[in-house]
Amino acid sequence: MLKSKTFVKKTRSGGVMKIVREHYLRDDIWCGSEACTECQQESTVLQKDACIESNLCSYPHYLIPDTNVVLHQIDVLEDPVIRNVIILQTVLQEVRHRSAPIYKRLKDIIHEKEKHFYTFTSEHHRETFIEREPGESANDRNDRAIRVAAKWYSEHLKPLEAETDGLKVVLLTNDQGNKQKAEESGLLVYKFEEYIKGLIANSELVDRLALSNDDKNEVTSSKVLFPEHLPLSRIQAGIKSGSFVQGTFRASRDNYLEATVFVQGEGEDSTEILIQGLQNLNRAVHQDVVAVQLLPRNQWVAPSSVVLQDEGTAKDDDVEEEEEEKALRISAAEAARKTTGKVVGIIKRNWRPFCGMLNVSQIKESTRHLFTPADRRIPRIRIETRQSSTLAGQRIIVAIDGWPKDSRYPNGHFVRSLGGAGEKDTEQEVLLLEHDVPHQAFSQAVLSFLPKMPWAITPEDMVKREDLRQLTVCSVDPPGCTDIDDALHCRELENGNLEVGVHIADVSHFIRPGNALDKEAANRGTTVYLCGKRIDMVPELLSSNLCSLRSNVERLAFSCIWEMNHKAEILKTRFTKSVINSKASLTYAEAQMRIDDTSKSDDITKSLRGLNKLAKILKRQRIEKGALTLSSLEVRFHIDSETHDPIDLQTKELMETNSMVEEFMLLANISVAQKIYDEFQECALLRKHPAPPPSNYDILLKAAKSKDVAIHTDTAKALADSLDVAKVDGFPYFNTLLRILATRCMMQAVYFCSGMDSDFHHYGLASPIYTHFTSPIRRYADIIVHRLLAVAIGADSTYPDLMDKHKQSALCNNLNYRHKMSQYAQRASVAFHTQLFFKSRGILNEEGFVLFVRKNAIIVLIPKFGLEGTVFFDTKDKVSPSVVFDEEGPALTVQQHTFHIFDKVKVTISLDDSNIQHQKIRMALTEPVIPGVSVPVPDAAPQAKKPKLDR
Amino acid sequence: MAGLELLSDQGYRLDGRKATELRKVQARMGVFAQADGSAYLEQGNTKALAVVYGPHEMRGSRGRTLHDRALINCQYSMATFSTAERKRRPHGDRKSTEMSLHLKQTFEAAVMTQLYPRSQIDIYVKILQSDGGNYSTCVNAATLAVIDAGIPMRDYVCACTVGFVDETPLADLCYAEESGGVSSLALALLPRGGQIALLQMDARLHQDHLETLIEAAMTACKGVSKVLDEVVRQHLQEGSVLTGE
Ligand SMILES: [Zn+2]
């Protein structure tokens, strides 16, 4: 309906091109307060009794933060204590414009009902909209708009004072000028710090305050340490004219005075620019996007090979940096010199909260301390806290607030503590944060899209579904699995053929495109499995309940059903949404027992036997086509159920039933891939595994040759066949080692969008096309594939993003990134548990094999623990032994002994916890004995302590 | 930050309207004395001038003469200064030709052409300023011009552009919304009978959403028709005051 009467039209213009936009002002925007009787609002957000215990404001009040307060103090605003806040549209828009992550956090707070954050659409309110005045900057205009809106609120609430114990609004700003003007117009206004310090029971919140720039920093001297950063306008002009280049700043892990800037060129060609020295690094932090000016050629330097850690007490800001950087001044050969430059400005900061530990200041009373991040590429950060004694020895999170040019270190603030360093929960949290695994509890906005409990299948759900409840479907999974996403059945048809069904949890029925739940799952990309912990991609209600195909409950499924003959040839394939009722949830071992137990002949067992028989044929066919069976030692910890400490390590053993389930999953994935590609040539989400370039195999070929074994790598089939026959007498482990090496030669499999690529081949599986369909509970790619398949069979509707190959390609990038990070996190978790395991066991002496030979070290694999470690031969403190490396072999001669790949050695294994943030497993050689290099065999005593319950 | 937020959580659009609200429509009829009928119409910042000649005898090639009804000839053009980016618009470019054709179809459905066999009605529409929904504004302006010319129509033809964002249909899109990646649809309606004169859409939209979108468009068109009706009545009143009737 047209409400022309209530609208006043204003235009606004901006940019070089004059853009005229309409801007309607309304008088039906309400204040959102429960106390208000004037506004005709249907629901309210702000409480009437807005009490927060404060020395400063003894009356109930609503807070109005300005943009900078939101941007810098979001950590405090997120605290449950802070409630009844008015977020002005002006502020919301500015935040959105300036920081996407903070905008998202702010929106999450607004969604949380208990926080009582109200968004006031001030820019469209007739009385709070203001126009920019001539000569007024956009920032000043917005500040004024915030003051006008605050004023409006205070006048709007004034008539209600009697009923509300003097309800007021309080403006929070850190800008001195803004504060003064607000005071002049009679507003209640405080600086954010002032307000937070005035709260009763605030001690923790105060630490979380970000240090604001205008805070006089008594530690930093007046001396300017760094060159000024250029303003963005000059940077842009410089980039355009070619005098600066733009790139991503990558700090060196080993040398805090060195970094490279990665400049993305056109297409493949990209360059790296070396930056050396504090002045040239000029306050850039790892991952920032910076502008770099190249130095004249005669000032170019070579990357230094020294390891420099910024350690010890805080360096005074005026320490002669010459001193610090002396180590760098090693005259380098002309040829080794690289393009060198200096950072002149920051285009975009990419600061995230960092994990690390506090170096408590030597001065007892000091509240300023240095913080050492776990990531060595991040500089140390100076923070202010009064709880340093409690925080010492804990892993904490710190956010950087800024890096003034007169400060040696960036300033930051304490965000929260993760717990004691070395503790399991803490370390787990650290590794999740450091691998960028989103693991916070799901927000209210996300949870609001979950089905309401009690949930039941409705007749509407049945419209496009087949009723398969009577089928003897069962699931086979590892023990303790609660997110069961697949189930199977097999039965004989009247015509003598077999019907085989793979039933996958119908997650896309519950997660609808584009809502908060869907966006969250798309961002997480995958469920992450750590030792003893699972970080779900979707809320537990779905992952472990409604979508989990548990036995004896009705569940929605997406079924792929084949008709096969007894030679496992597919005669017919069809896909349908369905309802199933699983008859049994079995473990691999249970399923195996049923198959082997000849006395059993119930329907479930018959079904399993049928499946098993077909799976064997399928597997044989697949291997004949050239699918690879590679090896990686997967280790599983036996975790004590009470202490959650790892008590034993065991390499995963595979049963026939493992491969039975796997075979049908592969088959379903291939069938679905074909179907969605046939239907959507441009936008099918597929998975490919490129063939490795021949050079990748060098190490494998050399290693095999050293044992007189020939390996052919021309095709996957040739490789698979030659691996099968590779045997060395008296060395049964040789084949496994060879397969481990072969695995390392492989490329990473990736998701991609069919419209953006032409090579679909899956090398490892020897399949021309492949995708992921069978695990939608734990992989987002499968959800997209489900949606595509549902559209293809007319069971669900499509939406624009699903058909947009560019958006899908961007999604694939995220999924590939998350997938990679989750693998790293998983490995880090195994490494951490390995450390815990060895911590209690003292020094062990174990047998291992040389897996790789490097210039100054050998990499040893201990099959018993699936553990890989490095034995270094150039120790810092001792006289280095003579080490000769032969690249062709490859072989490494240490003193008189020469190491080759596959050599059997004995090493000691111990935990090196000298650096609490970077604990590691240390290995040292005991056998063969090389004088001056190998160490004596440790006492076997710790071995005896091993508890009996270890099998 | 990429993209604009077309619909805020509070339910307001970029320019402060709610999803179903139209832009402010202002119009005048009979702005151009030489023509048989004319009208000027503003729909928000989109401004159009429509001029109607006829019905008159066929001009040009006689071959086009229709023996049972009048021929409707439409010509659409955009002023050089109508968009933020000033560019010359040659007459008869593909876009204008298409738009002309759409207008022709629309008015063939609305004008009672059978009353004037073997004659011709010319409708010229010029966009003076463009801010989204050009087609709809043209149709609405032309309707007023046809009424001004006294040519009988079955009903007002009212047009409106609607788009689909976050599962919500937005009525009467402005340029920022049209270019912000919304699947939009233009619909011309004879509101009283509810007949659709023209429906045009080039974006991709799922079939399931089509019905909601068309419904929203029809509601919006009915809103437009009310405003047009008011304009016509106002104009007649002014006219009758002048002639002293
Ligand atoms: Zn009110």
Side-chain angles (χ1 to χ4, degrees), chain B residues 23 41 43 46-48 76 99 127 130-140 159-161 172-175 178 186:
Chain B
R23 289 180 288 180
L41 186 131
Q43 201 161 338
T46 304
K47 301 175 183 178
Y76 165 89
M99 191 68 98
I127 289 286
S130 160
D131 186 27
N134 290 355
Y135 166 76
S136 326
T137 312
C138 286
V139 170
N140 298 335
C160 198
T161 322
D172 194 11
L173 302 182
C174 68
Y175 178 73
E178 269 187 351

Side-chain angles (χ1 to χ4, degrees), chain A residues 30-33 35-41 152-153 156-157 160:
Chain A
W30 317 125
C31 68
S33 169
C36 180
T37 47
E38 193 186 324
C39 293
Q40 299 147 31
Q41 46 207 354
W152 179 84
Y153 256 104
H156 186 73
L157 296 176
L160 306 168

Side-chain angles (χ1 to χ4, degrees), chain B:
Chain B
M1 178 90 217
L4 294 160
E5 193 182 42
L6 296 176
L7 190 66
S8 76
D9 288 351
Q10 291 72 44
Y12 296 108
R13 291 156 66 177
L14 288 173
D15 52 12
R17 284 182 291 155
K18 291 204 168 164
T20 55
E21 286 169 352
L22 303 175
R23 289 180 288 180
K24 191 177 169 73
V25 177
Q26 279 178 312
R28 278 198 63 79
M29 291 166 70
V31 289
F32 209 55
Q34 286 116 316
D36 294 322
S38 63
Y40 169 77
L41 186 131
E42 287 183 4
Q43 201 161 338
N45 275 334
T46 304
K47 301 175 183 178
L49 184 67
V51 176
V52 172
Y53 294 93
H56 54 75
E57 271 185 32
M58 290 296 297
R59 290 203 192 108
S61 99
R62 294 258 160 197
R64 291 193 303 152
T65 312
L66 303 168
H67 292 283
D68 55 344
R69 59 197 158 99
L71 175 90
I72 293 194
N73 171 40
C74 284
Q75 237 177 56
Y76 165 89
S77 61
M78 275 178 95
T80 326
F81 47 80
S82 62
T83 51
E85 192 186 357
R86 248 162 267 174
K87 61 177 175 197
R88 254 178 55 78
R89 287 160 208 286
H91 248 286
D93 62 330
R94 207 187 60 79
K95 237 170 126 184
S96 309
T97 316
E98 189 189 355
M99 191 68 98
S100 302
L101 224 81
H102 284 156
L103 288 172
K104 182 178 152 87
Q105 279 178 20
T106 314
F107 283 92
E108 272 173 355
V111 175
M112 301 176 84
T113 47
Q114 71 278 14
L115 297 178
Y116 310 102
R118 286 180 295 278
S119 55
Q120 176 179 349
I121 299 168
D122 295 320
I123 303 174
Y124 298 101
V125 199
K126 191 164 192 113
I127 289 286
L128 303 175
Q129 187 175 316
S130 160
D131 186 27
N134 290 355
Y135 166 76
S136 326
T137 312
C138 286
V139 170
N140 298 335
T143 300
L144 292 180
V146 171
I147 293 170
D148 188 40
I151 300 170
M153 287 203 285
R154 292 186 177 83
D155 191 0
Y156 295 131
V157 230
C158 305
C160 198
T161 322
V162 287
F164 203 68
V165 167
D166 299 339
E167 310 280 303
T168 317
L170 302 185
D172 194 11
L173 302 182
C174 68
Y175 178 73
E177 290 170 332
E178 269 187 351
S179 55
V182 181
S183 339
S184 69
L185 169 153
L187 182 133
L189 186 78
L190 303 176
R192 232 170 298 169
Q195 295 121 316
I196 294 173
L198 185 111
L199 187 132
Q200 188 242 339
M201 173 161 181
D202 342 288
R204 205 192 275 262
L205 180 87
H206 195 270
Q207 195 184 341
D208 294 3
H209 300 318
L210 188 62
E211 208 169 314
T212 359
L213 201 55
I214 290 182
E215 227 155 79
M218 287 169 76
T219 317
C221 287
K222 284 176 191 154
V224 174
S225 101
K226 264 188 207 150
V227 184
L228 296 190
D229 193 53
E230 241 168 77
V231 173
V232 173
R233 282 172 203 281
Q234 180 91 28
H235 179 72
L236 288 178
Q237 223 158 34
E238 282 168 20
S240 50
V241 169
L242 282 179
T243 52
E245 280 170 32

